[in-house]
Amino acid sequence: MQVDTPQVLFKNRHLGRPATLAEYRAGGGYEALAATIGKRTPAEVLQLVLDADLRGRGGAGFPAGRKWQGVPTDHVGTRYVVVNTDEMEPGTFKDRILVNADPHLVIEGIVLCAYSIGASEGVFFIRPSYEGDAELIEQECRVAREHGYLGNNILGSDFSFDLHVHRSAGRYICGEASAQIKAISGLRPNPRKGGPRTAVKGLWDCPTIVNNLETLANLPGIVRNGPAWFKALARSATGSGTKLYSVSGQVARPGCYELPIGVTIREIIFEHAGGMAPGKTFKTVIPGGASTPFLPEALLDLEMDFDPMRAAGQRFGTASLMVFDQGTCLVGATLSLMEFFARESCGWCTPCREGIPAIRELLRRIEGGQGTEEHIQMLTDLLPVLDKAYCAFAPGAAEPVRGLLTHFMNEVNAHIVQKRCPFGNPPPTLRGKACGTRPIQFGPTPCPEDQCPI
Amino acid sequence: MSPLPTELETELARLVAAVPRPREAAVDVMYALQRHYGYLCDEAMHCAARVLGMTTLELESLATFYDYLYRRPVGRYVIHVCDSVVCWMFHQDSIFDYLCRTLGVPPGGTSEDGLFTVLPAACIGNCHNAPTMLINGRFYDRLTPERIDAVLAELRAGTEEPVRCK
Amino acid sequence: MPDLIIDGRAVSVPKGTMVIEAAERLGIMIPRFCWHKALGAAGACRMCAVMFTAGPVKGLEMSCMTPAADGMVVETFHPEAVAFRRSIIELLMVNHPHDCPVCDEGGHCLLQDETISGGHSLRRFPGRKRTYLDQNLGPFIQHEMNRCIHCYRCARFYQEYCGYRDFGPMQNANRVYFGRFDDGALENPFAGNLADLCPTGTLTDKPARFVSRRWDCLRAPSVCLHCSLGCNVTALSRYRRVARIEARENAAVNGSFICDRGRFSAGYEAIPERPRSARLDGNAVPAIEAETALAARLAALAEKHGPGSIAILGGLRSTMETQAAGIALAQAAGWRAPAFFATRTEQAATQAALAVLTPPRARSLAEIGKADAVLVLGVSPLFDAPMLALALRQASRAGAKIIVADPRPVALPLPFTHLPVPPRQFPAVLAVATGSPDAAAAAAQKRLPFAPELWPGLETAAKALAAAKRPALVFTPGLAAALPDDDRLGLFPVLAQASSAGAALLAPTDAPGLDELAADVAAGRVKGLVVVEADLFAAAPGLAAVLGKLDLLVVLDYLPTPTVAAAHIVLPTTTIFESGGILAASDGRLQAASPVQSPGDPVARDGAGSHPPRAFDRPLPGTDPAPAAFLLDRLARGLGLTLPREPLAALAAAIPALAGLDLAALPQDGLRPAFAGLAAPLPAPLPLSAESGLAVIYTDALFATDEPGRYAPLAQAQTQAGPPVLLLHADDAAALGLADGLADGLAVSLECGNRLVPATLHLSRAMARGVIVVPRVPDLAGLPPILGPCGLRRR
Ligand SMILES: Cc1cc2nc3c(=O)[nH]c(=O)nc-3n(C[C@H](O)[C@H](O)[C@H](O)COP(=O)(O)O)c2cc1C
Ligand code: SF4
Ligand code: FES
């Protein structure tokens, strides 16, 4: 691993276990908080974040400071910070690694955010497969509370803020901010659109800021070292800060790497992740998590940053690079992604609830050698429908399909012409999936293959 | 309906009291009951409704929405096998098939000894260790048939009598 | 007022209007499934996509979620929008069964309409269809989940709009399922609306199944007869029976919905027991024979005892035409003034309840739904006027405080404060709640010193009403005299029956109460009685008890009541479904119903046993019933009298509130007369003293306590078998020695007139002290206002 890139978020990762409070403090931990509470006004903290141009690390890249500005200053009553640790985007595992490396960095970031927006309650929303991390955070919160970093009268000031963990029962859609608020409220996590933003009316109808965990973990650094330092961390002109890149797939060293915003994709894969796995040749990479399109080899020198990626028709997303080699069937890969999206949808709007399973069905046929030209037409027709779904879930699901049809049409055609998967994958309809965890008294009727009821 | 053990009642009351509105504890209460009964049987749903002041329909709305709440009997160990794209890339299907064959169950089924239920799962956030699976909160990395055999044997050895709900 | 252009036409709409609604104002119906006028936008179906070509929003957007804004240019026919909508239909049809011909929604299905109009007729999609198992949702709603397109209308209506929590969405993704936790009847008393709301055949009207295809039905606008609110309905008839009742939009009254009582209480028009032919001394005779005999007998009576010995009695479930004809006949013939109400006090109170509805103070039901604080006095909304509960729920959802003062235990699907006080304390409650909020605490202690548990609620009420911008009072007629004179407080009365308001409007001031009539009959001053559409055994047990003293009892009715059975002469009348007519709602609003079918036996019975061929030459059986007003007019002629051609119009011209109204052309929303206020302050009603016993409070149930509903088989089937259930406060029960042991569900008997009626006693703490709550069933009709100490005994 290259060590010359500054390690800000992963400063304590070398320990190979969660850093203790002492270890975190030894590296300057909680200094930002001490220098802030009672010494800076919340508005000053907000200004630092605005100046640092900290953009959300949860996928959408919305500037955090601008989001916080939406909190009405005249609100009387509770304000909430929700820490989004749902992280169910396939290919993404950075939040888990980060909590596990330095829980107090995360906690300090959360408290700084709370101070800036005047929140008194925080909810740490975490997915069920991260139960170990939920317990870790609960444990470290207790430690922080004992040391006056959390709870009543933080650091002896009159600022009080506490954090509790909310365990999800698992669905990708719970990562969407408004759905997450509903999930916390014990409602069905359908996203909400229209009406006031969550910054105005969120959890229990109070102003609520939902931020990704990594976004918040950047705050101690920004507050301690200033916006200029933060901006200088990035390598691209428009970017600021470092980013945790989750690299997985056919590379020699899959893992999570902290690198500047603006490194090229080529550098991530071929330097930091050690290049392709032995014997494998690069075919494509999904650069930003499952909701982003396949990236053709020609774009490998693209800078990993929000704006340049968008300009190139790509998406930064969660910066989760999934690398595919020449031996992997991309129709099959897209189908696997559609299985995921079809299963995880909340079922609210037609494009998502009906459209994604329709795409899945068409891809199953194509992968199984029963595809026709008409099916490709139908796929093409469905993409703009997905783009106009209720929330960003279905448009995200459309991206890999769009990438497939744009850059790898030859592979699709090969399936149709050869009437089988050229990579030798068995027809997907053969692997029936039925789930036994839902009541049978109402449908859908248990079915062998076309309706995976998971 | 048989009464719940006192400790569980206390635990449920604590969960409900810990949050601003009982609804917020819905998932936690269902988890707790699921741990007790092994899965969310109708009796568990009625208990949850009573504790939370919600209707069974409202709870069913949630229980059936989520992945990790089971409304039908499952084994002592629910094996969530990741079938998302990265694991898929590493021939996840053969892992899945291997598990099913070894345990003699269809996908979603529970092994005869009541120990294991095999479920395909959405990406569990362990892609760098693909292929992977999650059993009762523990990740199992870089699976191979041999490793699966070892894991199953280990779990079988360390199991006490499973809790069952009629 | 944003100005925008939709399909080349300019429209200006109030701020906050969504584009889909703005288009509707131009008569452009943008396709939709999830959006519904009453439920608002969900953005779920994506069917309403239109193209925004210029202005603040650009591109393809959902018209239901986009508020109209200045400068918008909208094209509903833009090729991209059309293609998008077509894709949505295609996606919805991927899993929708293609069996419209056997679907109960077929022919009036929004999905069918949009599929056809979108031009989707061939399936491209190769996959299989998703299937579900159905649930039994009780007697009213049929469930066929495979037809669901997941617009969420049902769930939003059920949970958000109505506030019931036993039906909703389950599962996720493409498995979402709308149903209950397990099989069972829907708890929501407005659940019938699901049949209207669901744009597909998923949730349909169960009793209407296998009765008729909807498009084969005759349809006519009608008005509900089952409480005093006057909700608008559409009656659908087939084979001479009412096949179904649907809600009819009236923005001022019921909005888009009706309650299940209104929807499922028809059927009385088709029961075999319905009087279908004239009867003379117990024998069926041709109508002409009965009418001739009737005229002769009445003439003879008048000859012998004077016309004042004849009285006519009108019902509270008749159209105003019928009521007016009765009045006109009585006047022309010189009979006693017609009686409608149980007592003169009740009549005066009902008249006063309408008179106070001056234009600044009158509120419609819809306006109650928009009030920001409502005090409900003496009304248990869900049972006395079910749609009022739904209106209160809407007010409450928007933040209104709701306070209900009623002796009965009150259940409502909304947060509210219940003040369980007996009726004699209503004036005190009213005075405190509408008085100064600062003095409320002291006033409450002074006026209700014995009920400290009520003080906080009263103070809340006073504060809420004082702080509100649009406060409203919902009240029973008895309180009209006690209402504070404050134009800020809107008023909305709830009356006893569907035509109470009509009777109050039309009844002459010297109309006797039924109690007086009973005394006159008992004393032999009245020898002949003409009863028009009323059941004396329910309305005036005292009168019913002395019927034997009459020389002549004539009954005109469409229900097989015991009064009909007791009559010397019976003339069958038509129901509102056959004759239509005008009804006045509880706020005095005049609304017209149209006839939808001819009288006559339903085909199912007519043909029974001789299924085709049938003889062609015989007259249609069961067609003797005629509108009561028509029969009364014929009777007048038989007596040599002439009634005005249109008795109602003639009568109305002389009534200040109605004078000048064109009753022949009532507007769509109905017409609320401008009332002038109380002419003279009413004497405050005598407070009933509590000490002597338990005040009797009659209460309605959702089904079959209203008179027509009692004869509706479906409504009747919803009632519980077994002895009537009485309710008593637990402390009162203890004082009466009825609370020991298994007192809840105690078998008791109730002294009713000279009978002992078996009943079951239930105890409650959510009700007033000093009262006994009694179901409104004919068996218990004759209770005294105060039940003496021995009136209730252990069985
Ligand atoms: C379908 C969907 C899933 C999402 N999942 C996550 C997630 O797992 N974690 C996350 O931080 N943000 C997720 N997001 C993004 C959130 O909606 C939101 O933008 C983010 O949490 C805001 O935090 P940020 O501004 O710090 O990125 C998701 C969005 C969508 C539409
Ligand atoms: S049942 Fe009807 S109303 Fe409910 S979601 Fe399905 S189609 Fe819509
Ligand atoms: S009507 Fe607009 S999305 Fe359904």
Side-chain angles (χ1 to χ4, degrees), chain A residues 90-91 93 96 127-129 164 166-171 184-189 204 248-249 254 322-323 328-329 332-333 336-337 340 343-344 431-434 436-440 442, chain B residues 20-21 23-24 27-28 31 54 60-62 64-74 83-86 88-90 93 107-108 119-128 134 139 142:
Chain A
F93 45 90
R96 177 162 76 95
R127 58 177 300 182
S129 53
H164 72 269
H166 181 98
R167 289 169 169 79
S168 170
R171 276 299 165 208
I184 296 171
S185 325
L187 300 171
R188 280 171 71 84
W204 311 121
S248 60
M322 296 180 272
V323 181
T328 305
C329 170
S336 165
L337 288 165
F340 167 83
R343 197 195 289 164
E344 296 298 315
R431 51 184 176 113
K433 286 177 189 163
T437 66
R438 283 155 200 276
I440 32 176
F442 47 77
Chain B
R21 329 234 164 141
R23 293 194 81 98
E24 183 179 344
V27 167
D28 287 337
Y31 270 145
M54 293 165 72
E60 187 81 314
S61 279
L62 299 176
T64 55
F65 190 98
Y66 292 119
D67 217 1
Y68 286 72
L69 293 172
Y70 319 126
R71 278 287 278 121
R72 271 158 74 185
V74 291
D83 68 351
S84 287
V85 63
V86 180
W88 171 88
M89 214 188 299
F90 290 92
D93 276 326
L119 289 180
C123 172
I124 51 179
N126 197 25
C127 314
H128 52 319
L134 182 79
F139 292 108
R142 299 177 198 258

Side-chain angles (χ1 to χ4, degrees), chain C residues 205 207-208 211-212 217 236-238 241-245 269 597:
Chain C
D205 188 326
V211 174
S212 165
C217 288
L236 287 87
S237 159
R238 174 70 165 156
R241 63 170 274 202
V242 173
R244 59 203 274 169
I245 297 285
E269 81 295 336
Q597 63 179 23

Side-chain angles (χ1 to χ4, degrees), chain C residues 20 31-35 43-48 62 64:
Chain C
I20 196 170
R32 83 287 301 270
F33 289 118
C34 62
W35 184 83
C45 71
R46 316 309 273 176
M47 192 61 204
C48 65
M62 301 309 130
C64 72

Side-chain angles (χ1 to χ4, degrees), chain C residues 147-155 178 197-200 202-203:
Chain C
R147 306 188 185 284
C148 179
I149 56 164
H150 303 83
C151 67
Y152 288 76
R153 274 189 188 182
C154 53
F178 294 87
L197 268 175
C198 175
T200 69
T202 312
L203 301 169

Side-chain angles (χ1 to χ4, degrees), chain C residues 123-361:
Chain C
R123 183 177 177 84
R124 295 197 283 175
F125 185 74
R128 297 204 220 159
K129 286 182 196 279
R130 163 185 63 212
T131 56
Y132 294 99
L133 305 175
D134 298 329
Q135 286 182 325
N136 180 352
L137 299 179
F140 298 139
I141 294 292
Q142 178 69 30
H143 196 218
E144 279 187 42
M145 197 47 209
N146 288 349
R147 306 188 185 284
C148 179
I149 56 164
H150 303 83
C151 67
Y152 288 76
R153 274 189 188 182
C154 53
R156 289 184 292 146
F157 172 75
Y158 205 94
Q159 299 195 348
E160 291 163 31
Y161 198 89
C162 298
Y164 288 83
R165 307 193 293 166
D166 62 314
F167 173 96
M170 285 165 280
Q171 314 232 47
N172 75 326
N174 63 337
R175 297 181 309 267
V176 172
Y177 183 91
F178 294 87
R180 284 170 42 89
F181 181 73
D182 43 17
D183 280 14
L186 296 169
E187 286 164 16
N188 184 343
F190 307 97
N193 292 299
L194 294 174
D196 291 354
L197 268 175
C198 175
T200 69
T202 312
L203 301 169
T204 51
D205 188 326
K206 198 179 215 169
R209 301 186 96 206
F210 314 125
V211 174
S212 165
R213 311 303 318 202
R214 190 168 172 278
W215 65 79
D216 283 332
C217 288
L218 302 166
R219 298 157 55 91
S222 194
V223 177
C224 180
L225 261 193
H226 303 280
C227 85
S228 70
L229 294 182
C231 294
N232 290 201
V233 297
T234 305
L236 287 87
S237 159
R238 174 70 165 156
Y239 300 128
R240 292 195 298 279
R241 63 170 274 202
V242 173
R244 59 203 274 169
I245 297 285
E246 292 171 357
R248 178 164 61 95
E249 175 99 20
N250 183 333
V253 183
N254 53 308
S256 309
F257 307 118
I258 56 172
C259 72
D260 284 2
R261 182 198 288 173
R263 189 180 298 266
F264 299 114
S265 289
Y268 58 87
E269 81 295 336
I271 46 173
E273 302 79 16
R274 175 176 167 187
R276 289 277 182 189
S277 60
R279 295 182 79 81
L280 180 59
D281 297 325
N283 303 314
V285 295
I288 185 74
E289 197 181 323
E291 285 170 25
T292 316
L294 173 56
R297 290 192 195 183
L298 283 170
L301 265 185
E303 182 85 357
K304 193 160 162 208
H305 302 287
S309 70
I310 302 175
I312 186 164
L313 187 153
L316 300 180
R317 53 175 160 89
S318 303
T319 61
M320 288 176 78
E321 284 88 342
T322 301
Q323 292 170 330
I327 295 169
L329 175 60
Q331 277 169 355
W335 297 343
R336 299 215 39 179
F340 289 97
F341 291 89
T343 60
R344 274 185 201 250
T345 323
E346 191 184 319
Q347 173 169 327
T350 310
Q351 285 170 331
L354 291 171
V356 294
L357 302 177
T358 55
R361 304 201 65 184

